[in-house]
Amino acid sequence: MISMISSFRLTRPLRQAGLCLLAALLAGPTSAAADLAWTLDRTSTGLQALGRPVVVVYAPKSKTSPQLTSNARITQVYASRDYEGLAQVSTELCWGSPKGLCVPLQGRHINTSAFNGKPANGPLLLVHRVDRWVGDHPPLFVRGTVTVWYADQPHAQVR
């Protein structure tokens, strides 16, 4: 039995997951109180034409973010997107509307403080455009995730 235990090796992803779990447990309630957040996953309608934007709206639901009040202010935002195929797609993360404050995703994701101080109830939007089909064809569906960290105070501190 001891030889089995001594020869047991964790794979790298399993070790990393264990370390993340340990760090979360050690962080305890202090970081949980400081880091309120909401996350939504959505899939776009099909992108049909080059350059034509498809907008996906992300806003918290009261059931998933009961602590979100009108005083809640953004402290950090993470957004990612993924799709099948070789098409070249550009995506922007916007607050309020597609014509509002927008930042482009760097590759397939972004972690930004560009929206800090804005109301955490959003909405935030992912705006996708096909730049080149590269052998793919319409429709192209884009899966997106937006996570908003916020503090329930008028002048929230940056994470």
Side-chain angles (χ1 to χ4, degrees):
M1 175 102 168
I2 294 192
S3 64
M4 286 177 53
I5 294 172
S6 64
S7 65
F8 179 74
R9 292 186 181 191
L10 294 175
T11 64
R12 184 176 183 166
L14 190 55
R15 278 195 314 262
Q16 288 174 338
L19 290 174
C20 288
L21 179 61
L22 179 61
L25 291 173
L26 292 175
T30 305
S31 68
D35 292 323
L36 301 171
W38 59 264
T39 299
L40 283 176
D41 299 306
R42 298 228 162 130
T43 300
S44 71
T45 58
L47 282 76
Q48 300 287 342
L50 288 176
R52 183 180 302 154
V54 169
V55 178
V56 184
V57 177
Y58 295 81
K61 299 174 184 167
S62 59
K63 291 179 184 177
T64 59
S65 301
Q67 301 145 338
L68 189 63
T69 68
S70 60
N71 288 335
R73 296 293 182 254
I74 294 173
T75 59
Q76 191 72 17
V77 178
Y78 173 81
S80 65
R81 57 93 195 243
D82 194 27
Y83 57 90
E84 298 294 326
L86 300 174
Q88 293 177 352
V89 176
S90 58
T91 300
E92 289 183 306
L93 173 66
C94 302
W95 185 90
S97 79
K99 295 181 180 180
L101 176 59
C102 297
V103 292
L105 269 66
Q106 305 300 316
R108 295 188 182 250
H109 63 89
I110 189 168
N111 195 359
T112 183
S113 57
F115 308 109
N116 288 9
K118 298 274 189 199
N121 59 352
L124 282 102
L125 306 100
L126 286 178
V127 181
H128 310 289
R129 288 179 183 83
V130 174
D131 297 325
R132 286 187 51 216
W133 286 110
V134 191
D136 289 340
H137 55 82
L140 177 71
F141 298 92
V142 180
R143 293 177 302 278
T145 299
V146 171
T147 300
V148 175
W149 284 272
Y150 61 93
D152 191 23
Q153 53 190 348
H155 304 290
Q157 296 180 349
V158 176
R159 281 177 28 102

